[in-house]
Amino acid sequence: LHVDDTTVPVLAKGKCRTGRLWAHVRDDRPFGGKASPAAVFYYSPTREGEHAERQLASYTGIVQADAYSGFNGLFVEGRQIDGKPGPIVEAACWAHSRRKFFELARLRKTPIAIEAVLRIDALFAIEREINGQSPLQRLAVRRDRSKPLIESFETWLRGERKKLSSKGPLAKAIDYQFNHWAAFTRFLDDGRVCLSNNAAERAIRGIAVGRRNWTFCGSDTGGHRAAVMFTLIETAKLCDVDPKAWLADVLARIADHPAQRLGDLLAWAWKAARERTVAKHAA
């Protein structure tokens, strides 16, 4: 799962307060997975870690996210679900790390930051070549080509860090990298892991843009309803389905649709049914 969150204004007495919309995205296409892409959104009135823990209470597997401390409760060793092992493995986002160096390279022309960006870009170039291949194929390429780059990057970065004051922004960018080094290098051990968390960041982009066009959620209840709507719309977009056409058709049919076959109306199933109809007519 790719996980990220963004702010949402919520109407309160005499003012607006800040709520949160959380996006959980499944997109297995980068490693050739067969599961249809999907997004699920949750609303919470605050950003406390308890919300992330509740949302993923029954989940076990990989979670790719930024290094927000509120996620730490998910990654505790010995995590259990109903008395059984329920580990969640953390994978960090190289795009997030790159952004810290890129800002220093762009604004201050810092040579170390510029070099760090170039080294990270070399990793992304390899990822573009293996996008869509199987996990085993991706893992083989990463161990052959990416791992030596990572080892060289770590050695170089540790050497440069020794020369810097701990209070400087460049030192903080490097410390961020090393404080989560195991999560950053997780992709070298699992071909399913992406190099970035961009799948979740793309899912919340519409919310960030939308904040300029609408004023607020009217209440916490409105926040939960917004999360439902974003779930439907973003999942349709991930499946390359026009959300407006899909919703219009589903809303027109759902009252008479058998309850036990609601799955037929999900965006990916709806798209597949349309494609079969078109192919049948063409034949």
Side-chain angles (χ1 to χ4, degrees), residues 49-69:
E50 63 186 81
H51 301 298
E53 291 181 34
R54 184 180 66 255
Q55 293 160 12
L56 292 168
S58 61
Y59 177 75
T60 179
I62 300 166
V63 165
Q64 189 144 27
D66 59 28
Y68 168 49
S69 60

Side-chain angles (χ1 to χ4, degrees), residues 8 18-19 25 29 35 52 72 82 91 105 159 162 168 194 196 199 216 221-222 263:
V8 57
T18 301
V25 178
R29 292 173 294 184
N72 290 347
D82 297 330
K162 295 177 181 178
C194 289
S196 78
F216 45 72
T221 300

Side-chain angles (χ1 to χ4, degrees), residues 124-221:
F124 275 103
I126 295 172
E127 290 300 304
R128 285 192 289 271
E129 293 180 27
I130 61 176
N131 188 50
Q133 295 183 13
S134 72
L136 289 178
Q137 289 173 317
R138 285 156 61 90
L139 192 58
V141 173
R142 287 170 173 177
R143 288 178 173 173
D144 180 50
R145 297 171 57 189
S146 300
K147 188 175 181 179
L149 296 182
I150 288 290
E151 292 172 345
S152 174
F153 183 51
E154 179 184 11
T155 301
W156 171 78
L157 207 57
R158 291 193 184 280
E160 297 299 330
R161 175 62 181 88
K162 295 177 181 178
K163 307 173 187 177
L164 302 171
S165 167
S166 296
K167 297 181 180 180
L170 184 56
K172 291 180 180 178
I174 295 174
D175 289 345
Y176 169 82
Q177 189 93 49
F178 285 133
N179 288 341
H180 307 278
W181 190 249
F184 274 112
T185 56
R186 191 79 62 199
F187 77 105
L188 295 176
D189 300 317
D190 194 322
R192 298 170 297 169
V193 176
C194 289
L195 206 60
S196 78
N197 195 37
N198 287 346
E201 293 195 7
R202 285 192 296 268
I204 63 174
R205 185 175 299 159
I207 302 171
V209 173
R211 283 197 295 263
R212 303 174 185 174
N213 302 318
W214 45 265
T215 49
F216 45 72
C217 292
S219 63
D220 287 335
T221 300

Side-chain angles (χ1 to χ4, degrees), residues 241 245-246 249-250 253 264-274:
V241 169
W246 172 64
D249 183 58
V250 167
R253 295 165 50 193
D264 295 347
L265 301 181
L266 293 173
W268 54 83
W270 183 89
K271 178 184 178 182
R274 285 296 180 96

